[in-house]
Coordinates of all heavy atoms in Angstrom, one line a residue:
M242 N 0.8 -1.2 0.0 CA 0.0 0.0 0.0 C 0.9 1.2 0.0 O 0.7 2.2 0.8 CB -0.9 0.0 1.2 CG -1.7 -1.2 1.5 SD -2.9 -1.5 0.2 CE -3.0 -3.3 0.4
D243 N 1.9 1.3 -0.8 CA 2.9 2.3 -0.8 C 2.4 3.7 -0.7 O 1.9 4.3 -1.7 CB 3.8 2.1 -2.0 CG 5.0 3.0 -2.0 OD1 5.5 3.2 -0.9 OD2 5.4 3.5 -3.1
K244 N 2.4 4.2 0.5 CA 2.0 5.6 0.9 C 0.5 5.9 0.7 O 0.1 7.0 1.0 CB 2.8 6.6 0.0 CG 4.3 6.4 0.1 CD 4.8 7.0 1.4 CE 6.3 6.9 1.3 NZ 7.0 7.5 2.4
V245 N -0.3 4.9 0.2 CA -1.8 5.2 0.2 C -2.3 5.4 1.6 O -3.0 6.3 1.9 CB -2.5 4.0 -0.5 CG1 -4.0 4.2 -0.4 CG2 -2.1 3.8 -1.9
I246 N -1.9 4.4 2.5 CA -2.2 4.5 3.9 C -1.2 3.5 4.6 O -0.8 2.6 4.0 CB -3.7 4.1 4.2 CG1 -4.1 4.4 5.6 CG2 -3.9 2.6 3.8 CD1 -5.6 4.4 5.8
D247 N -0.9 3.8 5.8 CA 0.0 3.0 6.6 C -0.8 2.0 7.3 O -1.8 2.3 7.9 CB 0.9 3.8 7.5 CG 1.9 3.0 8.3 OD1 2.6 2.2 7.6 OD2 2.0 3.2 9.5
I248 N -0.4 0.7 7.3 CA -1.1 -0.3 8.0 C -0.1 -1.1 8.9 O 0.9 -1.6 8.4 CB -1.8 -1.3 7.1 CG1 -2.8 -0.6 6.2 CG2 -2.5 -2.4 7.9 CD1 -3.5 -1.5 5.1
S249 N -0.4 -1.1 10.2 CA 0.6 -1.7 11.1 C 0.6 -3.2 10.9 O -0.3 -3.8 10.3 CB 0.2 -1.5 12.6 OG -1.0 -2.3 12.9
S250 N 1.7 -3.9 11.3 CA 1.8 -5.3 11.1 C 0.8 -6.1 11.9 O 0.2 -7.1 11.4 CB 3.2 -5.8 11.5 OG 3.5 -5.5 12.8
N251 N 0.4 -5.6 13.1 CA -0.7 -6.2 13.8 C -2.0 -6.1 13.1 O -2.8 -7.1 13.1 CB -0.8 -5.6 15.2 CG 0.3 -6.1 16.1 OD1 1.0 -7.1 15.9 ND2 0.6 -5.3 17.1
A252 N -2.3 -4.9 12.5 CA -3.5 -4.8 11.7 C -3.5 -5.7 10.5 O -4.5 -6.2 10.1 CB -3.7 -3.3 11.3
L253 N -2.3 -5.8 9.8 CA -2.3 -6.7 8.7 C -2.6 -8.1 9.0 O -3.4 -8.8 8.4 CB -0.9 -6.6 8.0 CG -0.5 -5.5 7.1 CD1 1.0 -5.5 6.8 CD2 -1.4 -5.5 5.9
D254 N -2.1 -8.6 10.2 CA -2.4 -9.9 10.6 C -3.9 -10.1 10.9 O -4.5 -11.1 10.5 CB -1.6 -10.3 11.9 CG -0.1 -10.4 11.6 OD1 0.3 -10.6 10.4 OD2 0.7 -10.3 12.6
F255 N -4.5 -9.1 11.6 CA -5.9 -9.1 11.9 C -6.7 -9.1 10.6 O -7.7 -9.9 10.5 CB -6.2 -7.9 12.8 CG -7.7 -7.9 13.1 CD1 -8.2 -8.6 14.2 CD2 -8.6 -7.0 12.5 CE1 -9.5 -8.6 14.5 CE2 -9.9 -6.9 12.8 CZ -10.4 -7.7 13.8
I256 N -6.4 -8.3 9.7 CA -7.1 -8.2 8.4 C -7.1 -9.6 7.7 O -8.1 -10.1 7.2 CB -6.6 -7.1 7.5 CG1 -6.9 -5.7 8.2 CG2 -7.2 -7.1 6.1 CD1 -6.1 -4.6 7.6
K257 N -5.9 -10.2 7.6 CA -5.7 -11.5 7.0 C -6.6 -12.5 7.7 O -7.2 -13.4 7.0 CB -4.3 -11.9 7.0 CG -3.4 -11.1 6.1 CD -1.9 -11.5 6.2 CE -1.0 -10.6 5.5 NZ 0.4 -10.9 5.7
Q258 N -6.6 -12.5 9.0 CA -7.5 -13.5 9.8 C -8.9 -13.3 9.5 O -9.7 -14.2 9.6 CB -7.2 -13.3 11.3 CG -5.9 -13.7 11.8 CD -5.6 -13.3 13.2 OE1 -6.4 -12.7 13.9 NE2 -4.4 -13.5 13.6
Q259 N -9.3 -12.0 9.2 CA -10.8 -11.7 8.9 C -11.2 -11.9 7.5 O -12.3 -11.5 7.1 CB -11.0 -10.3 9.4 CG -10.8 -10.0 10.9 CD -11.7 -10.9 11.7 OE1 -12.9 -10.9 11.5 NE2 -11.1 -11.6 12.7
G260 N -10.3 -12.4 6.6 CA -10.6 -12.6 5.2 C -9.8 -11.8 4.2 O -9.9 -12.0 3.0
G261 N -8.9 -10.9 4.7 CA -8.0 -10.2 3.8 C -8.5 -9.0 3.1 O -7.9 -8.5 2.2
I262 N -9.7 -8.5 3.5 CA -10.2 -7.3 2.9 C -10.4 -6.2 4.0 O -10.9 -6.5 5.1 CB -11.6 -7.6 2.3 CG1 -11.4 -8.5 1.1 CG2 -12.2 -6.3 1.8 CD1 -12.6 -9.0 0.4
V263 N -10.1 -4.9 3.7 CA -10.3 -3.8 4.6 C -10.8 -2.6 3.8 O -10.4 -2.4 2.7 CB -9.0 -3.5 5.4 CG1 -7.9 -3.0 4.4 CG2 -9.3 -2.4 6.4
T264 N -11.8 -2.0 4.4 CA -12.4 -0.8 3.9 C -12.1 0.4 4.8 O -12.3 0.3 6.0 CB -13.9 -0.9 3.7 OG1 -14.1 -2.0 2.7 CG2 -14.5 0.4 3.1
V265 N -11.6 1.5 4.2 CA -11.3 2.7 5.0 C -12.2 3.8 4.4 O -12.2 4.1 3.2 CB -9.9 3.2 5.0 CG1 -9.6 4.4 5.8 CG2 -9.0 2.0 5.5
R266 N -13.1 4.3 5.2 CA -14.1 5.3 4.7 C -14.4 6.3 5.8 O -14.0 6.2 6.9 CB -15.4 4.5 4.4 CG -16.1 3.9 5.6 CD -17.3 3.1 5.2 NE -17.9 2.5 6.4 CZ -18.7 3.2 7.3 NH1 -19.1 4.4 7.1 NH2 -19.2 2.5 8.3
L267 N -15.2 7.3 5.4 CA -15.7 8.3 6.3 C -17.0 7.9 6.9 O -17.8 7.4 6.2 CB -15.8 9.7 5.6 CG -14.5 10.4 5.3 CD1 -14.8 11.7 4.5 CD2 -13.7 10.7 6.5
S268 N -17.2 8.1 8.2 CA -18.4 7.8 8.8 C -18.9 9.0 9.6 O -18.2 9.6 10.4 CB -18.2 6.6 9.8 OG -19.3 6.3 10.6
P269 N -20.2 9.4 9.4 CA -20.7 10.5 10.1 C -20.9 10.2 11.6 O -21.3 9.2 12.0 CB -22.1 10.8 9.5 CG -22.5 9.5 8.9 CD -21.2 8.8 8.5
K270 N -20.5 11.2 12.4 CA -20.7 11.1 13.9 C -21.4 12.4 14.3 O -21.1 13.4 13.9 CB -19.4 11.0 14.6 CG -18.6 9.7 14.3 CD -19.3 8.5 14.7 CE -18.6 7.2 14.3 NZ -19.3 6.0 14.4
Y271 N -22.4 12.2 15.2 CA -23.3 13.3 15.6 C -23.0 13.6 17.1 O -22.8 12.8 17.9 CB -24.7 12.9 15.4 CG -25.1 12.6 14.0 CD1 -25.0 11.3 13.5 CD2 -25.4 13.6 13.1 CE1 -25.2 11.1 12.1 CE2 -25.6 13.4 11.8 CZ -25.6 12.1 11.3 OH -25.8 11.8 10.0
G272 N -22.9 14.9 17.4 CA -22.7 15.4 18.7 C -24.0 15.6 19.5 O -25.1 15.5 18.9
C273 N -23.8 15.9 20.7 CA -25.0 16.0 21.6 C -25.8 17.3 21.3 O -27.0 17.3 21.6 CB -24.6 16.1 23.0 SG -23.6 17.5 23.4
C274 N -25.3 18.3 20.6 CA -26.0 19.5 20.4 C -26.3 19.7 18.9 O -26.4 20.9 18.5 CB -25.2 20.7 20.9 SG -24.8 20.6 22.7
G275 N -26.4 18.6 18.2 CA -26.7 18.7 16.8 C -25.6 18.9 15.8 O -25.8 18.9 14.6
G276 N -24.4 18.9 16.3 CA -23.2 19.0 15.5 C -22.9 17.6 14.8 O -23.4 16.6 15.2
R277 N -22.3 17.7 13.6 CA -21.9 16.5 12.9 C -20.5 16.6 12.3 O -20.1 17.7 11.9 CB -22.9 16.3 11.7 CG -22.6 15.1 10.9 CD -23.5 15.0 9.7 NE -22.9 14.1 8.8 CZ -22.9 14.2 7.5 NH1 -23.6 15.1 6.9 NH2 -22.3 13.3 6.7
T278 N -19.8 15.5 12.3 CA -18.5 15.5 11.7 C -18.3 14.1 11.1 O -19.0 13.1 11.5 CB -17.4 15.8 12.8 OG1 -16.1 15.9 12.1 CG2 -17.2 14.7 13.8
N279 N -17.4 14.0 10.2 CA -17.0 12.7 9.6 C -15.7 12.3 10.1 O -14.8 13.1 10.2 CB -17.0 12.8 8.1 CG -18.3 13.0 7.4 OD1 -19.3 12.3 7.8 ND2 -18.4 13.9 6.5
I280 N -15.6 11.0 10.5 CA -14.3 10.5 11.0 C -14.0 9.3 10.1 O -14.8 8.6 9.6 CB -14.3 10.1 12.5 CG1 -15.3 9.0 12.8 CG2 -14.6 11.3 13.3 CD1 -15.1 8.4 14.1
A281 N -12.7 9.1 10.0 CA -12.2 7.9 9.2 C -12.4 6.6 10.1 O -12.0 6.6 11.2 CB -10.8 8.1 8.8
V282 N -12.9 5.6 9.5 CA -13.0 4.3 10.1 C -12.5 3.2 9.2 O -12.5 3.4 8.0 CB -14.5 4.0 10.5 CG1 -15.0 5.0 11.5 CG2 -15.4 3.9 9.3
A283 N -12.1 2.1 9.8 CA -11.6 1.0 9.1 C -12.4 -0.2 9.5 O -12.6 -0.5 10.7 CB -10.1 0.7 9.3
E284 N -12.8 -1.0 8.5 CA -13.6 -2.2 8.7 C -13.1 -3.4 7.9 O -12.7 -3.2 6.8 CB -15.1 -1.9 8.3 CG -15.7 -0.8 9.0 CD -16.9 -0.2 8.4 OE1 -17.0 -0.2 7.1 OE2 -17.8 0.2 9.1
A285 N -13.0 -4.5 8.5 CA -12.5 -5.7 7.9 C -13.6 -6.3 7.0 O -14.1 -7.4 7.3 CB -11.9 -6.7 8.9
S286 N -14.1 -5.6 6.0 CA -15.2 -6.1 5.1 C -15.1 -5.3 3.8 O -14.5 -4.3 3.7 CB -16.5 -5.9 5.8 OG -16.7 -4.5 6.0
T287 N -15.9 -5.8 2.8 CA -16.0 -5.2 1.5 C -17.0 -4.1 1.6 O -18.1 -4.3 2.3 CB -16.4 -6.2 0.5 OG1 -15.5 -7.3 0.5 CG2 -16.5 -5.6 -0.9
P288 N -16.8 -3.0 1.0 CA -17.8 -1.9 1.1 C -19.1 -2.3 0.3 O -19.1 -3.1 -0.6 CB -17.1 -0.7 0.4 CG -16.1 -1.3 -0.5 CD -15.6 -2.6 0.2
A289 N -20.2 -1.6 0.7 CA -21.5 -1.9 0.0 C -21.4 -1.6 -1.5 O -22.0 -2.3 -2.3 CB -22.6 -1.1 0.7
N290 N -20.7 -0.6 -1.9 CA -20.5 -0.2 -3.3 C -19.0 0.0 -3.6 O -18.5 1.1 -3.5 CB -21.3 1.1 -3.6 CG -21.4 1.3 -5.1 OD1 -20.6 0.7 -5.9 ND2 -22.2 2.3 -5.5
P291 N -18.3 -1.1 -4.0 CA -16.9 -1.0 -4.2 C -16.5 0.0 -5.3 O -15.4 0.5 -5.3 CB -16.5 -2.4 -4.6 CG -17.6 -3.3 -4.0 CD -18.8 -2.5 -4.1
A292 N -17.4 0.3 -6.2 CA -17.1 1.3 -7.3 C -16.8 2.7 -6.8 O -16.2 3.5 -7.5 CB -18.2 1.3 -8.3
L293 N -17.2 3.0 -5.5 CA -17.0 4.3 -5.0 C -15.6 4.5 -4.3 O -15.3 5.5 -3.8 CB -18.1 4.6 -3.9 CG -19.5 4.7 -4.5 CD1 -20.5 4.9 -3.3 CD2 -19.7 5.7 -5.6
Y294 N -14.8 3.4 -4.3 CA -13.6 3.4 -3.6 C -12.4 3.1 -4.5 O -12.5 2.5 -5.6 CB -13.6 2.3 -2.5 CG -14.6 2.6 -1.4 CD1 -15.9 2.2 -1.6 CD2 -14.2 3.2 -0.2 CE1 -16.9 2.5 -0.6 CE2 -15.1 3.4 0.8 CZ -16.5 3.1 0.6 OH -17.4 3.3 1.5
Q295 N -11.2 3.6 -4.1 CA -10.0 3.2 -4.8 C -9.7 1.8 -4.3 O -9.9 1.5 -3.1 CB -8.8 4.1 -4.4 CG -8.8 5.5 -5.0 CD -7.6 6.2 -4.6 OE1 -6.6 5.7 -4.1 NE2 -7.6 7.5 -4.8
R296 N -9.2 0.9 -5.1 CA -8.9 -0.5 -4.8 C -7.4 -0.7 -4.9 O -6.8 -0.4 -6.0 CB -9.6 -1.4 -5.6 CG -9.4 -2.9 -5.3 CD -10.1 -3.8 -6.1 NE -9.8 -5.2 -5.8 CZ -10.3 -6.2 -6.4 NH1 -11.2 -6.1 -7.3 NH2 -9.9 -7.4 -6.0
H297 N -6.8 -1.2 -3.9 CA -5.3 -1.5 -3.9 C -5.1 -2.9 -3.3 O -5.7 -3.2 -2.3 CB -4.6 -0.5 -3.0 CG -4.7 0.9 -3.4 ND1 -3.9 1.5 -4.4 CD2 -5.7 1.9 -3.1 CE1 -4.3 2.8 -4.6 NE2 -5.4 3.0 -3.8
C298 N -4.3 -3.7 -4.0 CA -4.0 -5.0 -3.5 C -2.5 -5.1 -3.2 O -1.7 -4.7 -4.0 CB -4.4 -6.1 -4.6 SG -6.1 -6.1 -5.0
D299 N -2.2 -5.7 -2.0 CA -0.8 -5.8 -1.6 C -0.7 -6.7 -0.4 O -1.7 -6.8 0.4 CB -0.2 -4.5 -1.3 CG 1.3 -4.5 -1.2 OD1 1.9 -5.4 -1.7 OD2 1.9 -3.6 -0.6
E300 N 0.4 -7.4 -0.2 CA 0.6 -8.2 1.0 C -0.6 -9.1 1.4 O -0.9 -9.1 2.6 CB 1.0 -7.3 2.2 CG 2.2 -6.5 1.9 CD 2.6 -5.7 3.1 OE1 2.6 -6.2 4.3 OE2 3.0 -4.5 3.0
D301 N -1.1 -9.7 0.5 CA -2.2 -10.7 0.7 C -3.5 -10.0 1.2 O -4.4 -10.7 1.8 CB -1.8 -11.8 1.7 CG -0.6 -12.6 1.2 OD1 -0.5 -12.8 0.0 OD2 0.2 -12.9 2.0
I302 N -3.7 -8.7 1.1 CA -4.9 -8.1 1.5 C -5.4 -7.2 0.3 O -4.6 -6.8 -0.5 CB -4.8 -7.2 2.8 CG1 -4.0 -6.0 2.5 CG2 -4.3 -8.1 3.9 CD1 -4.1 -5.0 3.6
T303 N -6.7 -6.9 0.3 CA -7.3 -5.9 -0.6 C -7.8 -4.7 0.2 O -8.5 -4.9 1.2 CB -8.4 -6.5 -1.4 OG1 -7.9 -7.6 -2.1 CG2 -9.0 -5.5 -2.4
L304 N -7.4 -3.5 -0.2 CA -7.8 -2.3 0.5 C -8.7 -1.6 -0.4 O -8.5 -1.3 -1.6 CB -6.5 -1.4 0.8 CG -6.8 0.0 1.1 CD1 -7.4 0.1 2.6 CD2 -5.5 0.9 1.0
F305 N -9.9 -1.2 0.2 CA -10.8 -0.3 -0.5 C -10.7 1.0 0.4 O -10.9 1.0 1.6 CB -12.2 -0.8 -0.4 CG -12.4 -2.0 -1.3 CD1 -12.3 -3.3 -0.8 CD2 -12.8 -1.8 -2.7 CE1 -12.5 -4.4 -1.7 CE2 -12.9 -2.9 -3.5 CZ -12.8 -4.2 -3.0
I306 N -10.4 2.1 -0.3 CA -10.2 3.4 0.5 C -11.0 4.5 -0.2 O -10.9 4.6 -1.4 CB -8.8 3.7 0.7 CG1 -8.6 4.9 1.6 CG2 -8.0 3.9 -0.6 CD1 -7.2 5.1 2.2
A307 N -11.7 5.3 0.6 CA -12.4 6.5 0.0 C -11.3 7.4 -0.6 O -10.2 7.6 0.0 CB -13.1 7.2 1.1
Q308 N -11.6 7.9 -1.8 CA -10.6 8.7 -2.5 C -10.0 9.9 -1.6 O -8.9 10.1 -1.6 CB -11.2 9.2 -3.8 CG -10.2 10.0 -4.6 CD -10.8 10.4 -5.9 OE1 -11.7 9.8 -6.4 NE2 -10.2 11.5 -6.5
E309 N -10.9 10.5 -0.8 CA -10.5 11.7 -0.1 C -9.6 11.3 1.1 O -9.0 12.1 1.7 CB -11.7 12.5 0.4 CG -12.6 11.7 1.3 CD -13.8 11.0 0.6 OE1 -13.6 10.6 -0.6 OE2 -14.8 10.9 1.2
L310 N -9.5 10.0 1.4 CA -8.6 9.5 2.5 C -7.3 9.0 2.1 O -6.3 8.8 2.9 CB -9.3 8.5 3.4 CG -10.6 9.0 4.1 CD1 -11.3 7.8 4.8 CD2 -10.3 10.1 5.0
A311 N -7.1 8.7 0.8 CA -5.9 8.1 0.3 C -4.8 9.2 0.3 O -5.0 10.4 0.1 CB -6.1 7.7 -1.2
Y312 N -3.6 8.8 0.7 CA -2.4 9.6 0.7 C -2.5 10.8 1.7 O -2.0 11.9 1.4 CB -2.1 10.1 -0.7 CG -1.9 9.0 -1.7 CD1 -2.9 8.7 -2.6 CD2 -0.7 8.3 -1.8 CE1 -2.8 7.7 -3.5 CE2 -0.6 7.3 -2.7 CZ -1.6 7.0 -3.6 OH -1.5 5.9 -4.5
Q313 N -3.2 10.6 2.8 CA -3.4 11.7 3.7 C -2.7 11.5 5.0 O -3.0 12.1 6.1 CB -4.9 11.8 4.0 CG -5.8 12.2 2.9 CD -5.3 13.6 2.3 OE1 -5.2 14.5 3.1 NE2 -5.1 13.7 1.0
G314 N -1.7 10.6 5.1 CA -0.9 10.3 6.3 C -1.7 9.6 7.4 O -1.4 9.9 8.5
L315 N -2.6 8.7 7.0 CA -3.4 8.0 7.9 C -2.7 6.6 8.2 O -2.0 6.1 7.4 CB -4.8 7.8 7.4 CG -5.6 9.1 7.2 CD1 -6.9 8.8 6.6 CD2 -5.7 9.9 8.5
R316 N -3.1 6.0 9.3 CA -2.6 4.7 9.7 C -3.7 3.9 10.3 O -4.5 4.3 11.1 CB -1.5 4.9 10.8 CG -0.9 3.6 11.4 CD 0.1 3.9 12.5 NE 0.5 2.7 13.1 CZ 1.6 2.0 12.7 NH1 2.2 2.3 11.6 NH2 2.0 0.9 13.4
V317 N -3.8 2.6 9.8 CA -4.7 1.6 10.3 C -4.0 0.8 11.3 O -2.9 0.3 11.1 CB -5.3 0.8 9.2 CG1 -6.2 -0.3 9.8 CG2 -6.1 1.6 8.2
D318 N -4.6 0.6 12.5 CA -4.1 -0.3 13.5 C -5.2 -1.1 14.1 O -6.4 -0.9 13.8 CB -3.3 0.5 14.6 CG -2.2 -0.2 15.2 OD1 -2.2 -1.5 15.1 OD2 -1.3 0.4 15.8
V319 N -4.9 -1.9 15.1 CA -5.9 -2.8 15.7 C -5.7 -2.6 17.2 O -4.6 -2.4 17.7 CB -5.8 -4.3 15.3 CG1 -4.4 -4.9 15.7 CG2 -6.9 -5.1 15.7
E320 N -6.8 -2.7 17.9 CA -6.8 -2.6 19.4 C -7.8 -3.6 20.0 O -8.7 -4.1 19.2 CB -7.0 -1.2 19.9 CG -8.4 -0.7 19.6 CD -8.6 0.8 20.0 OE1 -7.6 1.4 20.6 OE2 -9.7 1.3 19.8
G321 N -7.8 -3.8 21.3 CA -8.7 -4.7 21.9 C -8.1 -6.0 22.1 O -7.0 -6.3 21.7
F322 N -8.9 -7.0 22.6 CA -8.4 -8.3 22.8 C -9.5 -9.3 22.5 O -10.7 -9.0 22.5 CB -7.9 -8.5 24.2 CG -8.9 -8.3 25.3 CD1 -9.6 -9.3 25.8 CD2 -9.1 -7.0 25.7 CE1 -10.6 -9.1 26.8 CE2 -10.1 -6.8 26.7 CZ -10.8 -7.8 27.2
W323 N -9.1 -10.5 22.1 CA -10.0 -11.6 21.8 C -11.1 -11.2 20.8 O -10.8 -10.7 19.8 CB -10.5 -12.2 23.1 CG -11.1 -13.6 23.0 CD1 -10.6 -14.6 22.4 CD2 -12.4 -14.0 23.6 NE1 -11.4 -15.7 22.5 CE2 -12.5 -15.4 23.2 CE3 -13.3 -13.5 24.3 CZ2 -13.6 -16.2 23.6 CZ3 -14.4 -14.2 24.7 CH2 -14.5 -15.5 24.4
K324 N -12.3 -11.4 21.2 CA -13.4 -11.1 20.2 C -13.7 -9.6 20.2 O -14.5 -9.2 19.3 CB -14.7 -11.9 20.6 CG -14.5 -13.4 20.3 CD -15.8 -14.1 20.6 CE -15.6 -15.6 20.3 NZ -16.9 -16.3 20.3
L325 N -13.1 -8.8 21.0 CA -13.4 -7.4 21.0 C -12.3 -6.6 20.2 O -12.4 -5.4 20.2 CB -13.4 -6.9 22.5 CG -14.4 -7.5 23.4 CD1 -14.2 -7.0 24.8 CD2 -15.8 -7.2 22.9
R326 N -11.5 -7.3 19.5 CA -10.5 -6.6 18.6 C -11.2 -5.9 17.5 O -12.1 -6.5 16.9 CB -9.4 -7.6 18.1 CG -8.5 -8.1 19.2 CD -7.6 -9.1 18.7 NE -6.8 -8.5 17.6 CZ -5.5 -8.4 17.6 NH1 -4.8 -9.0 18.5 NH2 -4.9 -7.9 16.6
H327 N -10.7 -4.8 17.1 CA -11.2 -4.0 16.0 C -10.2 -3.1 15.4 O -9.2 -2.7 16.1 CB -12.5 -3.2 16.4 CG -12.2 -2.2 17.4 ND1 -12.1 -2.4 18.8 CD2 -12.0 -0.9 17.3 CE1 -11.9 -1.3 19.4 NE2 -11.7 -0.3 18.5
L328 N -10.4 -2.7 14.2 CA -9.5 -1.8 13.5 C -9.9 -0.3 13.9 O -11.0 0.0 14.2 CB -9.6 -2.0 12.0 CG -9.2 -3.3 11.5 CD1 -9.5 -3.5 10.0 CD2 -7.7 -3.6 11.7
Y329 N -8.9 0.5 13.8 CA -9.1 2.0 13.9 C -8.2 2.7 13.0 O -7.2 2.2 12.6 CB -9.0 2.4 15.4 CG -7.7 2.4 16.0 CD1 -6.8 3.5 16.0 CD2 -7.2 1.2 16.5 CE1 -5.6 3.4 16.5 CE2 -5.9 1.1 17.1 CZ -5.1 2.3 17.1 OH -3.9 2.2 17.6
V330 N -8.5 4.0 12.8 CA -7.7 4.8 11.9 C -7.2 6.0 12.7 O -7.9 6.6 13.5 CB -8.5 5.4 10.7 CG1 -7.6 6.3 9.8 CG2 -9.1 4.2 9.9
E331 N -5.9 6.3 12.6 CA -5.3 7.5 13.3 C -4.5 8.3 12.3 O -4.0 7.7 11.3 CB -4.5 7.1 14.5 CG -3.3 6.3 14.2 CD -2.5 5.8 15.4 OE1 -2.9 6.2 16.5 OE2 -1.5 5.1 15.3
S332 N -4.2 9.5 12.6 CA -3.3 10.3 11.8 C -1.8 10.1 12.2 O -1.6 9.9 13.4 CB -3.6 11.8 12.0 OG -4.8 12.1 11.5
L333 N -0.9 10.1 11.3 CA 0.5 10.0 11.6 C 1.0 11.4 11.9 O 0.4 12.4 11.4 CB 1.2 9.4 10.4 CG 0.9 7.9 10.0 CD1 1.7 7.6 8.7 CD2 1.4 7.0 11.2
P334 N 2.0 11.5 12.7 CA 2.6 12.8 12.9 C 3.0 13.5 11.6 O 3.5 12.8 10.7 CB 3.9 12.5 13.8 CG 3.6 11.1 14.3 CD 2.8 10.4 13.3
L335 N 2.7 14.8 11.6 CA 3.1 15.5 10.4 C 4.6 15.6 10.2 O 5.3 15.8 11.2 CB 2.5 16.9 10.4 CG 1.0 17.0 10.4 CD1 0.5 18.4 10.6 CD2 0.4 16.4 9.1
Q336 N 5.1 15.5 9.0 CA 6.5 15.7 8.8 C 6.8 17.1 8.5 O 6.0 17.8 7.8 CB 6.9 14.8 7.5 CG 6.6 13.3 7.8 CD 7.4 12.7 8.9 OE1 8.6 13.1 9.1 NE2 6.8 12.0 9.8
P337 N 7.9 17.6 8.9 CA 8.2 19.0 8.6 C 8.4 19.2 7.1 O 9.0 18.4 6.4 CB 9.6 19.3 9.4 CG 10.1 17.9 9.7 CD 9.0 16.9 9.7
R338 N 7.9 20.3 6.6 CA 8.0 20.7 5.2 C 9.3 21.5 5.1 O 9.6 22.4 5.9 CB 6.8 21.5 4.7 CG 5.6 20.7 4.7 CD 4.5 21.5 4.0 NE 3.3 20.7 4.0 CZ 2.5 20.7 3.0 NH1 2.7 21.4 2.0 NH2 1.4 19.9 3.0
H339 N 10.0 21.3 4.0 CA 11.2 22.0 3.7 C 10.7 23.2 2.8 O 10.1 23.0 1.7 CB 12.2 21.2 3.0 CG 12.7 20.1 3.8 ND1 13.5 20.3 4.9 CD2 12.4 18.7 3.8 CE1 13.8 19.1 5.5 NE2 13.1 18.2 4.9
T340 N 11.0 24.4 3.2 CA 10.6 25.5 2.4 C 11.8 26.2 1.8 O 12.8 26.2 2.4 CB 9.8 26.6 3.2 OG1 10.6 27.0 4.3 CG2 8.5 26.0 3.7
N341 N 11.6 26.8 0.6 CA 12.7 27.5 0.0 C 12.6 28.9 0.4 O 11.6 29.6 0.2 CB 12.5 27.3 -1.5 CG 13.8 27.8 -2.3 OD1 14.6 28.5 -1.7 ND2 13.8 27.5 -3.6
T342 N 13.6 29.5 1.0 CA 13.6 30.9 1.5 C 14.0 31.9 0.5 O 14.2 33.0 0.8 CB 14.4 31.0 2.8 OG1 15.7 30.6 2.5 CG2 13.8 30.2 3.9
H343 N 14.3 31.4 -0.8 CA 14.8 32.4 -1.8 C 13.7 33.1 -2.4 O 12.7 32.8 -2.7 CB 15.6 31.7 -2.9 CG 16.8 30.9 -2.4 ND1 17.6 31.5 -1.4 CD2 17.3 29.7 -2.6 CE1 18.6 30.6 -1.2 NE2 18.4 29.5 -1.9

């Protein structure tokens, strides 16, 4: 998944155990006062409409990722234990930009 998204080795193992498919998409979340935001989520399943996603195959897994999330410095990892394990998406630390001062 060269730079499309970073996937930890533990998450890769989990995805393979779950069938080898992962979908990264935006999911709406609603606040207590009527606010709404979209957060990135990862699920070990095929999306309902694969045509809406970029598809990437590598390391024995297939990644479906929403176009707006690709190449955004995101990382998929896994947390929890036993049957409560699940994938999550986090941002990677920003890298310093080199600017030309001329």
Side-chain angles (χ1 to χ4, degrees):
M242 308 298 152
D243 190 32
K244 307 282 183 174
V245 174
I246 193 166
D247 186 45
I248 302 176
S249 74
S250 59
N251 287 337
L253 280 172
D254 291 343
F255 179 79
I256 293 163
K257 290 175 190 176
Q258 292 168 5
Q259 298 298 311
I262 296 174
V263 62
T264 299
V265 179
R266 64 180 180 85
L267 289 174
S268 176
K270 298 295 177 195
Y271 300 92
C273 64
C274 301
R277 178 183 163 217
T278 190
N279 288 317
I280 63 166
V282 296
E284 301 162 326
S286 62
T287 303
N290 188 350
L293 298 177
Y294 295 82
Q295 290 183 12
R296 181 180 175 178
H297 301 270
C298 298
D299 193 19
E300 299 185 44
D301 301 324
I302 70 164
T303 299
L304 166 71
F305 292 93
I306 186 167
Q308 183 173 338
E309 61 269 30
L310 297 176
Y312 305 100
Q313 296 299 310
L315 299 176
R316 177 182 175 87
V317 175
D318 210 339
V319 65
E320 66 184 357
F322 60 95
W323 196 45
K324 292 185 179 189
L325 300 177
R326 290 179 57 125
H327 64 277
L328 298 170
Y329 68 95
V330 179
E331 65 181 357
S332 294
L333 292 175
L335 295 175
Q336 299 300 316
R338 291 186 181 220
H339 298 285
T340 57
N341 190 349
T342 57
H343 300 318

